[in-house]
Amino acid sequence: MPSRTTASTTTAVVEEPPALPGLQFNENLSWRAGKPIPIADLLRRLQALSREMRALEQEESDRGSLTRVAKELASPNLLAHKDKGVRAWTACCLVDILRLCAPDAPYTGHQLKDIFNMLISSILPALADTSDAYHQQHLYVLNSLAQVKSIVLLADIPDSEKLTINLFTTFFDILAGSKRSSTGEELGKSVEFHMTAILIIMVDESASLPPEVIDVIVAQFLRIDPHISTGGSGKAKKNAVDERQSTLLLKQLPPSYNMAKTICNTCPDKMARHISQYFNDIIVDASATSVEKGNARRRITEELDISEMDVAVGPTEEDLRELRKVHQLLRELWRACPAVLQNVIPQLETELSAENVHLRLLATETFGDIISGIGAAGLPPPPVLDPACYPYITLSDTQEPKFFENVLIKPSSPQPFSQAYSQAYNSFLSRNHDKSPLIRAAWTTGIGRILTTSAGGVGLSQQEEERLVKDLARMLADADEKVRLAAVRVVGTFSLGDVVFKLGVVGAVDDSGSVLGVLADRVRDRKHVVRTEAMTILGRLWGVAVGEILAGDERVTSAVVSIPSRILETYFTNDLDIHALLDHVVFEQLLPLNFPPAGPKAPKLTNGNTHKGKESQINGAFETENVNPDGIRTERLLLLVTGLHERAKKVFYALQGRQLTLARIVTAYLQRCEEYNGGVMDKNEKEIKAHMSKLIENLAKGFPDSAKFSEHLWKFAKMHDRRAYQLIRFCMAPESDYRTVVKAIKEFKRRIEQSSTAPQDLLSVLTQMLYRVSTLIYNRSHVPAIMEFSRMADSQMTATAHEMLRDISMRTPEVLKAQVQEICKYLQEEAPNGKKADDFGALDNLKACASFAKRFEREIPKDRRFVQAMMDFALHGSPAEAAKHAVTILMATSDKKELLARELVQKCIKGFEHGSEGFVSRLASLSQLMLLAAEQTNHESDAVSVIAIEKVLLRVQRPSAESSDAYTWSDTMDEECEAKCWALKILVNRVRSHADPDGIAEIANPVYSVLSKLIKHYGEILPSRDTLPVHKSRLRLLAARLCLKLCTKKITDALLSITMFNELAVVAQDPILAVRSSFLQRLKKYISSSKLSQRYYTIPFLFAFEPSESLRSDTTTWIRSRANFLNNLRLEQQNSKAAMVMESVFARLLSLLAHHPDYGSDAEDLIDFTRYILFYLHPVATEENLSLIYHIAQRVKQCRDGVSPSPEMDDNLYHLSDLAQVTIRKFEDAHNWNIQTLPGKATLPRSLFTEIKDHTEALEIAEKKYLPEGAEERVEALVRSSIKAARSHGKKRRSDSDKLENERGSKKIKSLPIRKSSSAREGKPKAASATIKPPKKPKARKSEKSQAAMPTGQRRRSGRVRSGEGTYTERGEEEDDEEMIDGVAQWTYTNENGEKRVEVQHGGSDIADEGVEKGQEEEEKGPEGEEDGIEEHEEESATSTPKTVKSASARKNTRKRSKR
């Protein structure tokens, strides 16, 4: 049937795809010979071409339009052009051609080779120079090769090995820093990222890599080896390491290391094959060399003596160097990329069974370090076990050493080796039975490292750890001394925590077979070197464990408490060498001569932290604030004797008897040395020599090598050093205290070392003798503390103290003579009365007796004569400080101190008149009674207050004839000034001793009022203003220091108003150097001991205009040191509050500056105030915290002033906020830093700042610029000049300006530029003259008309103080700090419709609190009293007027002086 056909005439329409956009560039890039295109035109064309091709997409462009351009770009004229710009733009165009034509490049293999040759040899090496004009083009080429993966074409080019090698070498050299720009600028992370991506592509896509490439890659892992420096070619070079420059070593992984690590971890299979071949070649070559040489050796030795067959045959020194390098690489490769060692570990395992000892030794050491996670950088420093450190080390101090923050030396294993390669691990463990002692010793060292590092941080199972510990115990008892010595030294590398928790759990020192037990057995080892090491390590271990034993830690006590017994029991061996070693261990480890260290200063622990601990950790016998070295040492001595076994205790007491016997012999020997006279004798020569020979013979019997000892004693006698004789006598004398003995020993050693006639080993011989004859145990310094312990009923050492006292009374009763009795007797004889003055030296004796009385009051006489003597000192003592100490002794020792206190108060106030006999001493006694017997003194509080205020403070005996504004200094005080100082202390001590927190404000506010007047009016408190100028400076300084003392207590600090604080802060700019420096010294003392709150950190920044270069420099150094301390404290304790203190202070500083008496909003004043901000930024600001400081400066502009609310004060804050922001930005630009935007908003102290409730107003303030026009440019110039000066400022010799300023201070103080102005507030002298003229009366503002009629005296108070601030109790600083720490602020805004909305802001950072109160001052304790009254200051503050404004000319003149 025929098929049917359709008659349809419809024709299908096929739509053609739209034409792809093509390249529009039509200019020529090639030229004929002799007619080159000008470089400028060529660059223009290449740039145009590059811009056009960058806009084209890979799949959406016409590739045909690229043909002509691609051909021209590959021409040699462009690839080899002499201009680097042409080459750079050509490279950009070429990588775009490769991108647009991918995956097929429009070039032949030869052309591609030329292209990549140009890229690798010219373009990519230029990446190292970030300052290159075409650096962006070079980055573009690198980015394109990495992202488009065009670099893969290099693998398809024939004979491209050389290019591949150059590519790897170039990239690693750039990151390693061997190619660096002249500016030294670091490359960006993106460069490292793209380079790494390119090399990974090459490794992944290449069928094989040249051996040179593998050399370059693995060489990067040796860059962290401090003993090896690698050059650009990857060749390793051995260098000696200077241990003194250890801080200059790397602390983090170099970029080239990271790139090699990333390559190996990204391509583990391929790199594993290559690295396996790399190690195999070197190991096989070295092994073949040794075998070949061994065969040759055997052929030669067949004809020689058979004994020569024992000579070890091994690799050459060169082969060993290569082998060590390879095994060092193995250690680091395991840490960085263990996957590439999957074929190498089996090869290394075969080395463990190699016949050659060198290979077995290298393999054993390498396996030990690999399992321990120790890399090429080497071992971390061992823990510092200093038995003389104090405060004591605790277990918590040895958990994670600080040096582990250095990732290069921190032991780190990526995975448990025992699980990943169990067969190799078991093969390593089997080396403990190796026939070679060298291998066993290395194996012992290895398992020690495995235990201390917990297998590189991955941890050991209980079974594994127990096995290794048992193996270590077996090694301690090995037959070979090398192995035993290695095992002993391994235990010496364990920290206290490791000894307790790893070694102690399987047995203590008394347990047979345990590590500690076998180690204790080694103190009797037949080899001297082993027993010396073992005894030293055991003694050191007990020395560092003393703190935990005292604290009662049962784990530590059970493990190591028997160590002294095992050491002392070695005395029964009757081995003289062991006896000599025992003396060294006792006085260098168990009871070190220098324990506790002078100071004492908190030691650096094994974790780098500074330890703070209690002085007596079991009974609190001594105060932490006032460390008693003798008491600490005695506590340690008693602890040692308490833990001794019975046999060891007999040895201990026998050694004390030996000391007395030898001391008598040595005393006779020294006498004969005097008669011997260096060998020159006038008569009785034979008798003297015979007697001396007998003495020397008796002495030498108890020392090892008696013949040598006798010889050295004769040589010492011939030296005839009389000073050395006397020093030995000091060491033996019962009258010598411990410090005298130790100093004598040190000086004796120094004299022998420096003597030109002394034999080389004379010192070691005489040191043994000194240890045996010195009164180091039964010393008079220890007796008081031993007696104190004997009186403790609940102490575990009470029985030991009684036992020791009995032994002392029998052996050396001389040291029991109580020196305090002699002091008391002396004081009785020298007591003053109305007719007889006390001896001037009585003050020191009273001070010593008072200190003794605070601890050992029962030892002080209580007879009537002594009490009467102390009463006489209290009433007539001179100087007045003697009366203070006499009161302290009475209140501490008398059984009737309440009665004595009442009697003494009555005598002090009865008939008191200024200028009467002993009136200053009475005031001093009343001051101390207020502190120590406030309850009894309060009965006469009214009379005491009348004396202190009306008869002393408010009365002037010698009116000043000078101007009322005169203000000078004198180094001495007359009676009137001294009396006023004691009167102030009476008032302050009443507040300090007040025990009722509810009534403290009623007592403290009047006292603060008096102190405030003295501070504000420059020591003037009298209405007549006729106080002597030399008195005013003293009174102002004392008032400021007493304010600081009161503020060391949180409850009284809260009563110091912000206004008073601002006045106190200005003392830092007092015209007199002595006042400024003394005030700053006390301020730094309290801040450093964390006794003052955070706001006091602002005061040191007011020294920006300090004219004394040394004081300003010291202040800057202290601020910088404090900032570093707080930052380190945060790092150590993970406490963000400690680090944010200095940053959060900036808001308080701006508030303080806004209320500064010299503040002005004109351009000149603001530029001067920039110096305060810079003085803050230089020591505090870093690149990390600058963003927070800038953020705080911004936040100030979002608030109102909370101290003196007024538009004027608000404007001051906003001016300073803008000024601070500009200064910080210029500071940032000058340092090339980058301010980051914080995620939240830090809150500010609510006592200083208040919220802006109107949101619209807040926006207007934020957008308004408050700085005068042109101020920003001047700020920038000032910032740059200050930074330049700071960088060029070296350590300079202190000038004589301080001395000259003090001299000028006594001559009415002329031309003293303290800061830019000083006459703005009334009552303060100008810095430029001796007298201060009253300030000009300012024009009354509208808001001040109501105050225009105020008296002049009241107008002196600043107008910023409002009537609402009459009380000194303000919002607590602690509340502010809690708010700042929480970082949350709640603001209420009112919108245009009058609706209120609340906005809660969460701070992006924790701001530190105002200083942790770490205990109040521990001087004297007791309640205080003070009468109510002195309300004048409070009334004044409610009716004060604005501050007077100085004239512009006065400000200008003062500013010039300041700048000068």
Side-chain angles (χ1 to χ4, degrees):
M1 180 177 179
S3 61
R4 291 181 295 178
T5 60
T6 114
S8 173
T9 59
T10 304
T11 304
V13 180
V14 179
E15 294 183 4
E16 294 183 0
L20 296 175
L23 186 66
Q24 304 300 319
F25 182 84
N26 57 2
E27 297 186 70
N28 291 328
L29 297 176
S30 60
W31 60 86
R32 290 179 293 177
K35 294 184 178 181
I37 302 174
I39 293 178
D41 292 340
L42 187 58
L43 285 174
R44 178 184 56 78
R45 296 176 186 180
L46 289 171
Q47 291 174 12
L49 175 61
S50 177
R51 284 194 299 270
E52 185 175 355
M53 285 197 295
R54 290 186 187 187
L56 296 177
E57 297 296 332
Q58 187 177 19
E59 302 294 336
E60 300 176 1
S61 59
D62 183 10
R63 297 187 180 184
S65 62
L66 304 174
T67 304
R68 181 184 64 82
V69 173
K71 180 180 179 181
E72 291 180 348
L73 287 172
S75 65
N77 291 336
L78 292 178
L79 295 179
H81 199 282
K82 64 180 181 179
D83 185 80
K84 62 180 182 180
V86 172
R87 295 196 303 272
W89 284 106
T90 301
C92 292
C93 295
L94 284 170
V95 295
D96 280 330
I97 290 292
L98 296 178
R99 174 178 63 85
L100 296 173
C101 297
D104 300 319
Y107 298 112
T108 64
H110 181 73
Q111 289 176 321
L112 284 174
K113 188 173 184 180
D114 291 340
I115 291 172
F116 279 105
N117 182 55
M118 185 269 287
L119 294 178
I120 294 174
S121 62
S122 176
I123 303 302
L124 296 179
L127 287 167
D129 189 2
T130 56
S131 62
D132 192 290
Y134 300 96
H135 185 65
Q136 293 300 321
Q137 286 70 39
H138 302 156
L139 289 176
Y140 181 81
V141 172
L142 178 70
N143 185 32
S144 180
L145 291 176
Q147 292 185 354
V148 183
K149 298 185 179 181
S150 306
I151 194 67
V152 76
L153 296 173
L154 181 61
D156 299 331
I157 300 174
D159 301 325
S160 62
E161 290 81 6
K162 185 176 180 180
L163 289 176
T164 303
I165 295 171
N166 290 340
L167 176 65
F168 277 80
T169 303
T170 298
F171 279 6
F172 280 113
D173 284 349
I174 291 174
L175 290 187
S178 59
K179 293 184 178 181
R180 184 75 69 190
S181 66
S182 58
T183 61
E185 185 178 350
E186 295 289 339
L187 293 173
K189 286 294 182 181
S190 61
V191 175
E192 179 184 346
F193 176 79
H194 293 313
M195 286 182 176
T196 306
I198 289 173
L199 297 188
I200 289 175
I201 293 171
M202 291 299 300
V203 173
D204 199 39
E205 296 296 333
S206 299
S208 63
L209 290 174
E212 292 83 355
V213 171
I214 304 302
D215 286 343
V216 172
I217 293 176
V218 298
Q220 308 311 312
F221 295 99
L222 287 178
R223 290 189 182 276
I224 64 173
D225 187 349
H227 299 275
I228 298 177
S229 64
T230 54
S233 61
K235 300 294 184 181
K237 182 179 179 181
K238 196 78 174 180
N239 287 328
V241 176
D242 188 354
E243 295 182 355
R244 294 171 297 178
Q245 298 182 356
S246 59
T247 56
L248 302 179
L249 301 178
L250 289 173
K251 297 296 186 297
Q252 58 184 1
L253 298 174
S256 57
Y257 177 102
N258 290 326
M259 185 161 69
K261 176 181 176 180
T262 305
I263 293 171
C264 292
N265 287 326
T266 307
C267 310
D269 295 334
K270 285 197 172 185
M271 289 304 301
R273 293 197 301 270
H274 292 304
I275 291 177
S276 175
Q277 186 63 39
Y278 173 84
F279 282 103
N280 186 62
D281 292 342
I282 295 179
I283 294 174
V284 169
D285 290 345
S287 301
T289 301
S290 64
V291 171
E292 183 177 325
K293 292 188 177 182
N295 293 334
R297 165 78 73 177
R298 280 191 289 272
R299 287 194 299 271
I300 294 173
T301 55
E302 287 176 355
E303 302 176 358
L304 301 177
D305 194 300
I306 192 67
S307 62
E308 297 187 21
M309 292 292 294
D310 296 333
V311 177
V313 178
T316 64
E317 196 63 30
E318 182 180 356
D319 292 334
L320 283 176
R321 281 197 299 268
E322 282 299 312
L323 285 172
R324 292 191 189 100
K325 171 188 170 184
V326 168
H327 288 79
Q328 195 78 330
L329 280 171
L330 271 176
R331 293 170 169 89
E332 195 57 38
L333 285 173
W334 171 258
R335 284 163 50 95
C337 40
V340 303
L341 297 181
Q342 52 187 306
N343 300 325
V344 179
I345 296 299
Q347 298 179 36
L348 186 63
E349 181 184 352
T350 60
E351 291 186 23
L352 289 173
S353 303
E355 182 179 355
N356 188 280
V357 176
H358 298 284
L359 290 178
R360 293 208 313 277
L361 180 62
L362 281 174
T364 303
E365 293 174 344
T366 304
F367 267 116
D369 287 349
I370 285 178
I371 300 171
S372 303
I374 298 171
L379 292 166
V384 180
L385 300 179
D386 183 10
C389 75
Y390 184 84
Y392 299 114
I393 294 176
T394 63
L395 290 177
S396 60
D397 298 324
T398 60
Q399 296 303 315
E400 183 72 6
K402 187 178 181 180
F403 51 73
F404 279 3
E405 295 176 3
N406 186 346
V407 296
L408 274 64
I409 62 174
K410 179 179 180 179
S412 175
S413 182
Q415 54 185 306
F417 186 89
S418 59
Q419 298 178 12
Y421 301 96
S422 57
Q423 182 177 347
Y425 181 74
N426 291 327
S427 298
F428 166 74
L429 293 181
S430 66
R431 287 302 93 197
N432 63 338
H433 300 296
D434 197 287
K435 61 181 180 181
S436 171
L438 291 176
I439 305 301
R440 297 200 304 276
W443 183 86
T444 303
T445 303
I447 64 168
R449 294 175 180 176
I450 294 172
L451 285 170
T452 56
T453 62
S454 296
V458 298
L460 292 167
S461 65
Q462 186 176 356
Q463 294 78 11
E464 287 179 290
E465 187 170 292
E466 289 178 359
R467 176 182 176 180
L468 293 178
V469 171
K470 290 179 180 178
D471 288 337
L472 179 59
R474 283 196 295 270
M475 293 298 102
L476 282 167
D478 193 270
D480 192 275
E481 64 180 282
K482 299 184 184 68
V483 181
R484 298 198 304 274
L485 181 60
V488 170
R489 289 175 174 169
V490 161
V491 178
T493 62
F494 281 59
S495 66
L496 176 61
D498 289 338
V499 170
V500 174
F501 299 121
K502 295 179 180 179
L503 305 182
V505 293
V506 297
V509 173
D510 291 331
D511 297 329
S512 177
S514 66
V515 172
L516 296 177
V518 180
L519 178 63
D521 293 338
R522 297 279 65 78
V523 299
R524 299 168 180 255
D525 197 281
R526 61 182 180 272
K527 295 296 182 179
H528 181 70
V529 63
V530 178
R531 63 173 176 256
T532 300
E533 195 76 15
M535 194 177 291
T536 302
I537 290 174
L538 276 174
R540 185 188 310 139
L541 183 59
W542 183 87
V544 298
V546 168
E548 290 295 346
I549 298 175
L550 288 171
D553 192 310
E554 188 58 31
R555 299 166 299 179
V556 180
T557 303
S558 60
V560 302
V561 73
S562 298
I563 286 178
S565 296
R566 299 296 297 271
I567 292 176
L568 289 173
E569 286 170 0
T570 60
Y571 190 84
F572 291 104
T573 61
N574 291 326
D575 187 322
L576 296 181
D577 287 313
I578 293 181
H579 290 180
L581 176 60
L582 177 62
D583 295 329
H584 283 276
V585 172
V586 168
F587 296 112
E588 294 173 4
Q589 308 297 334
L590 298 178
L591 301 170
L593 295 182
N594 58 337
F595 175 81
K601 187 165 56 176
K604 288 293 183 181
L605 304 174
T606 57
N607 62 352
N609 296 335
T610 300
H611 176 58
K612 296 180 180 180
K614 296 180 180 179
E615 180 176 332
S616 176
Q617 301 188 19
I618 65 171
N619 47 49
F622 308 99
E623 295 294 334
T624 304
E625 298 293 330
N626 190 10
V627 175
N628 178 12
D630 298 328
I632 301 169
R633 195 183 310 108
T634 304
E635 185 180 39
R636 180 168 179 158
L637 171 62
L638 291 174
L639 177 68
L640 183 146
V641 178
T642 301
L644 291 178
H645 299 163
E646 195 60 31
R647 296 179 74 235
K649 190 174 291 187
K650 292 180 180 179
V651 173
F652 174 82
Y653 288 116
L655 292 179
Q656 312 316 311
R658 185 188 68 175
Q659 183 269 328
L660 296 173
T661 302
L662 290 179
R664 287 192 290 269
I665 298 176
V666 172
T667 300
Y669 165 74
L670 294 178
Q671 181 63 34
R672 295 296 173 265
C673 286
E674 296 277 3
E675 298 171 357
Y676 184 71
N677 196 29
V680 180
M681 293 159 284
D682 297 333
K683 56 182 179 179
N684 301 329
E685 181 176 351
K686 291 184 178 180
E687 295 178 7
I688 294 172
K689 286 184 176 180
H691 196 181
M692 194 167 181
S693 297
K694 187 176 181 179
L695 288 173
I696 291 177
E697 181 181 358
N698 290 333
L699 274 174
K701 288 180 181 179
F703 293 88
D705 197 350
S706 58
K708 180 181 178 181
F709 190 87
S710 300
E711 179 184 355
H712 281 85
L713 287 182
W714 278 109
K715 291 179 179 179
F716 177 71
K718 291 180 180 179
M719 291 172 58
H720 197 51
D721 188 342
R722 293 183 181 274
R723 176 60 180 172
Y725 299 160
Q726 186 60 39
L727 292 174
I728 296 177
R729 291 190 178 100
F730 285 150
C731 294
M732 300 184 298
E735 298 81 19
S736 298
D737 59 13
Y738 188 86
R739 185 181 179 188
T740 301
V741 175
V742 172
K743 288 177 68 175
I745 292 175
K746 291 180 179 179
E747 184 180 348
F748 180 85
K749 291 181 178 179
R750 195 162 53 246
R751 291 186 67 86
I752 299 300
E753 288 174 348
Q754 296 173 356
S755 175
S756 58
T757 59
Q760 184 176 3
D761 53 349
L762 177 63
L763 179 60
S764 61
V765 172
L766 295 180
T767 299
Q768 296 177 25
M769 185 183 72
L770 277 181
Y771 282 159
R772 295 189 181 185
V773 302
S774 300
T775 56
L776 292 169
I777 304 295
Y778 287 173
N779 188 275
R780 56 178 288 190
S781 298
H782 299 158
V783 172
I786 295 175
M787 296 175 66
E788 179 68 16
F789 278 99
S790 68
R791 292 193 291 267
M792 294 181 180
D794 56 345
S795 174
Q796 59 178 345
M797 294 182 285
T798 301
T800 303
H802 283 291
E803 183 180 0
M804 191 172 291
L805 283 173
R806 287 195 298 269
D807 195 70
I808 291 174
S809 63
M810 289 187 298
R811 298 183 187 273
T812 56
E814 297 89 351
V815 300
L816 289 176
K817 293 179 180 179
Q819 294 180 345
V820 68
Q821 300 293 336
E822 299 177 4
I823 296 176
C824 294
K825 184 178 179 181
Y826 170 80
L827 292 175
Q828 290 179 13
E829 296 173 353
E830 298 298 329
N833 51 46
K835 300 180 180 179
K836 173 187 173 184
D838 58 321
D839 183 67
F840 185 77
L843 175 62
D844 294 332
N845 289 288
L846 279 168
K847 189 174 183 180
C849 189
S851 300
F852 187 85
K854 293 176 185 178
R855 297 177 183 163
F856 312 111
E857 65 275 7
R858 296 181 181 178
E859 304 300 323
I860 301 295
K862 300 179 178 60
D863 57 277
R864 183 176 180 181
R865 184 181 176 188
F866 179 76
V867 172
Q868 184 59 46
M870 293 300 101
M871 294 287 286
D872 290 340
F873 273 110
L875 296 173
H876 308 286
S878 178
E881 190 178 0
K884 168 188 171 183
H885 295 306
V887 172
T888 302
I889 295 172
L890 286 174
M891 295 300 102
T893 61
S894 177
D895 296 330
K896 302 177 181 180
K897 66 178 183 179
E898 294 84 1
L899 182 62
L900 288 175
R902 291 192 181 94
E903 180 183 354
L904 193 55
V905 171
Q906 291 292 335
K907 290 184 177 181
C908 288
I909 64 177
K910 182 178 180 181
F912 181 91
E913 290 296 335
H914 196 288
S916 60
E917 189 273 328
F919 78 102
V920 180
S921 301
R922 297 186 190 183
L923 289 172
S925 297
L926 288 174
S927 171
Q928 197 69 354
L929 287 169
M930 275 290 183
L931 190 65
L932 303 178
E935 184 177 352
Q936 290 75 35
T937 313
N938 280 337
H939 293 292
E940 301 291 343
S941 60
D942 293 341
V944 173
S945 298
V946 168
I947 291 174
I949 298 174
E950 297 181 6
K951 293 187 177 182
V952 179
L953 282 177
L954 299 181
R955 181 176 299 179
V956 59
Q957 303 300 319
R958 290 186 301 147
S960 174
E962 302 181 46
S963 170
S964 60
D965 294 321
Y967 187 73
T968 57
W969 176 264
S970 175
D971 292 332
T972 59
M973 287 192 297
D974 56 18
E975 280 192 338
E976 181 181 357
C977 183
E978 189 178 5
K980 291 187 176 183
C981 291
W982 286 113
L984 281 177
K985 292 178 181 179
I986 290 174
L987 301 180
V988 171
N989 282 348
R990 184 189 180 192
V991 179
R992 291 175 60 199
S993 63
H994 190 74
D996 183 16
D998 297 330
I1000 189 69
E1002 183 179 358
I1003 297 176
N1005 284 343
V1007 177
Y1008 271 134
S1009 176
V1010 173
L1011 297 177
S1012 176
K1013 286 183 178 180
L1014 288 170
I1015 292 172
K1016 183 177 180 181
H1017 299 301
Y1018 284 75
E1020 184 61 82
I1021 197 174
L1022 301 176
S1024 57
R1025 297 177 57 82
D1026 55 356
T1027 303
L1028 288 175
V1030 292
H1031 291 182
K1032 291 194 291 186
S1033 58
R1034 285 281 185 178
L1035 292 175
R1036 190 183 195 223
L1037 172 61
L1038 180 62
R1041 294 177 64 163
L1042 290 177
C1043 268
L1044 294 179
K1045 184 183 287 289
L1046 284 176
C1047 293
T1048 56
K1049 290 186 177 181
K1050 192 182 302 184
I1051 188 172
T1052 49
D1053 184 32
L1055 299 176
L1056 184 73
S1057 69
I1058 299 173
T1059 303
M1060 274 195 63
F1061 172 80
N1062 292 342
E1063 295 168 356
L1064 174 65
V1066 181
V1067 177
Q1069 296 177 326
D1070 191 276
I1072 297 176
L1073 174 63
V1075 176
R1076 301 194 303 273
S1077 60
S1078 180
F1079 173 71
L1080 178 64
Q1081 181 181 6
R1082 183 59 57 91
L1083 177 69
K1084 292 192 296 186
K1085 173 186 175 182
Y1086 289 151
I1087 290 179
S1088 299
S1089 57
S1090 300
K1091 291 183 177 179
L1092 290 176
S1093 58
Q1094 175 183 329
R1095 60 174 174 172
Y1096 292 88
Y1097 277 88
T1098 58
I1099 299 178
F1101 296 109
L1102 295 184
F1103 282 79
F1105 288 91
E1106 173 58 40
S1108 172
E1109 177 62 27
S1110 61
L1111 183 57
R1112 186 171 67 253
S1113 177
D1114 291 346
T1115 304
T1116 304
T1117 302
W1118 181 84
I1119 294 172
R1120 184 178 289 108
S1121 173
R1122 196 66 192 165
N1124 292 336
F1125 167 77
L1126 293 172
N1127 185 56
N1128 293 336
L1129 188 65
R1130 180 188 66 85
L1131 296 177
E1132 295 172 1
Q1133 302 180 355
Q1134 300 297 319
N1135 182 4
S1136 60
K1137 297 181 182 180
M1140 296 297 108
V1141 171
M1142 302 305 289
E1143 291 82 357
S1144 60
V1145 159
F1146 190 59
R1148 296 183 177 276
L1149 177 60
L1150 293 181
S1151 174
L1152 178 61
L1153 294 178
H1155 294 83
H1156 195 282
D1158 296 337
Y1159 178 81
S1161 59
D1162 60 86
E1164 286 294 329
D1165 287 335
L1166 288 175
I1167 294 303
D1168 278 350
F1169 268 63
T1170 306
R1171 297 184 184 274
Y1172 289 112
I1173 300 174
L1174 288 173
F1175 193 72
Y1176 168 88
L1177 292 176
H1178 280 299
V1180 174
T1182 63
E1183 188 173 5
E1184 290 75 21
N1185 67 5
L1186 190 64
S1187 299
L1188 177 58
I1189 297 173
Y1190 184 78
H1191 176 68
I1192 291 174
Q1194 290 179 317
R1195 292 285 295 114
V1196 170
K1197 199 174 180 181
Q1198 301 170 11
C1199 307
R1200 296 187 187 278
D1201 181 67
V1203 181
S1204 303
S1206 67
E1208 178 189 1
M1209 287 297 101
D1210 295 342
D1211 287 346
N1212 291 354
L1213 283 178
Y1214 304 152
H1215 278 89
L1216 287 172
S1217 176
D1218 281 356
L1219 180 65
Q1221 293 178 53
V1222 170
T1223 305
I1224 294 172
R1225 288 199 302 268
K1226 301 305 179 184
F1227 193 86
E1228 169 205 15
D1229 295 339
H1231 285 85
N1232 294 322
W1233 292 347
N1234 184 24
I1235 293 180
Q1236 304 292 333
T1237 303
L1238 296 181
K1241 293 185 178 181
T1243 58
L1244 303 180
R1246 299 181 92 182
S1247 60
L1248 301 179
F1249 305 95
T1250 59
E1251 61 185 27
I1252 302 176
K1253 296 185 178 181
D1254 189 357
H1255 184 61
T1256 304
E1257 182 183 1
L1259 291 178
E1260 291 176 357
I1261 294 173
E1263 294 173 358
K1264 181 179 178 181
K1265 294 183 178 180
Y1266 285 84
L1267 289 184
E1269 186 176 354
E1272 186 169 346
E1273 290 75 16
R1274 298 182 62 182
V1275 168
E1276 181 177 8
L1278 184 59
V1279 169
R1280 293 192 177 277
S1281 64
S1282 69
I1283 292 177
K1284 183 178 179 180
R1287 289 174 177 172
S1288 62
H1289 178 70
K1291 189 158 185 147
K1292 299 181 179 179
R1293 179 176 56 89
R1294 292 179 182 268
S1295 64
D1296 295 332
S1297 60
D1298 296 359
K1299 180 179 178 182
L1300 294 176
E1301 282 188 51
N1302 274 327
E1303 292 175 356
R1304 287 196 296 267
S1306 62
K1307 299 178 182 179
K1308 300 184 181 180
I1309 311 193
K1310 293 185 178 180
S1311 183
L1312 183 61
I1314 305 305
R1315 54 191 182 281
K1316 70 183 187 66
S1317 170
S1318 58
S1319 61
R1321 59 187 178 284
E1322 211 266 334
K1324 180 187 173 200
K1326 282 187 179 179
S1329 62
T1331 59
I1332 301 178
K1333 298 179 180 180
K1336 296 180 180 180
K1337 182 178 179 180
K1339 296 181 180 180
R1341 299 184 182 93
K1342 293 182 179 179
S1343 59
E1344 300 170 359
K1345 291 181 179 180
S1346 60
Q1347 302 176 2
M1350 289 184 181
T1352 305
Q1354 295 180 357
R1355 195 161 49 239
R1356 289 170 184 158
R1357 293 198 51 81
S1358 172
R1360 303 186 187 110
V1361 183
R1362 301 301 175 188
S1363 59
E1365 296 184 6
T1367 176
Y1368 290 103
T1369 305
E1370 299 189 5
R1371 188 178 191 274
E1373 294 290 332
E1374 294 299 321
E1375 298 176 14
D1376 288 340
D1377 296 332
E1378 291 174 5
E1379 198 169 276
M1380 295 171 74
I1381 294 166
D1382 294 338
V1384 178
Q1386 179 172 304
W1387 306 94
T1388 304
Y1389 291 102
T1390 305
N1391 58 19
E1392 298 176 354
N1393 300 327
E1395 299 174 350
K1396 294 184 178 180
R1397 65 182 181 88
V1398 177
E1399 180 178 313
V1400 178
Q1401 302 168 346
H1402 295 267
S1405 60
D1406 292 333
I1407 300 182
D1409 59 8
E1410 305 238 310
V1412 181
E1413 299 289 338
K1414 292 185 176 180
Q1416 302 301 326
E1417 197 166 354
E1418 295 285 343
E1419 297 178 356
E1420 303 94 3
K1421 297 182 179 179
E1424 292 182 339
E1426 170 66 84
E1427 68 172 358
D1428 297 333
I1430 317 182
E1431 302 295 336
E1432 297 175 1
H1433 183 83
E1434 186 171 346
E1435 296 172 0
E1436 259 188 286
S1437 65
T1439 58
S1440 55
T1441 60
K1443 70 161 188 167
T1444 56
V1445 182
K1446 63 180 179 179
S1447 64
S1449 61
R1451 289 198 304 267
K1452 184 175 181 180
N1453 293 334
T1454 308
R1455 190 177 303 114
K1456 289 180 178 179
R1457 292 194 299 272
S1458 299
K1459 293 178 180 178
R1460 187 170 66 246

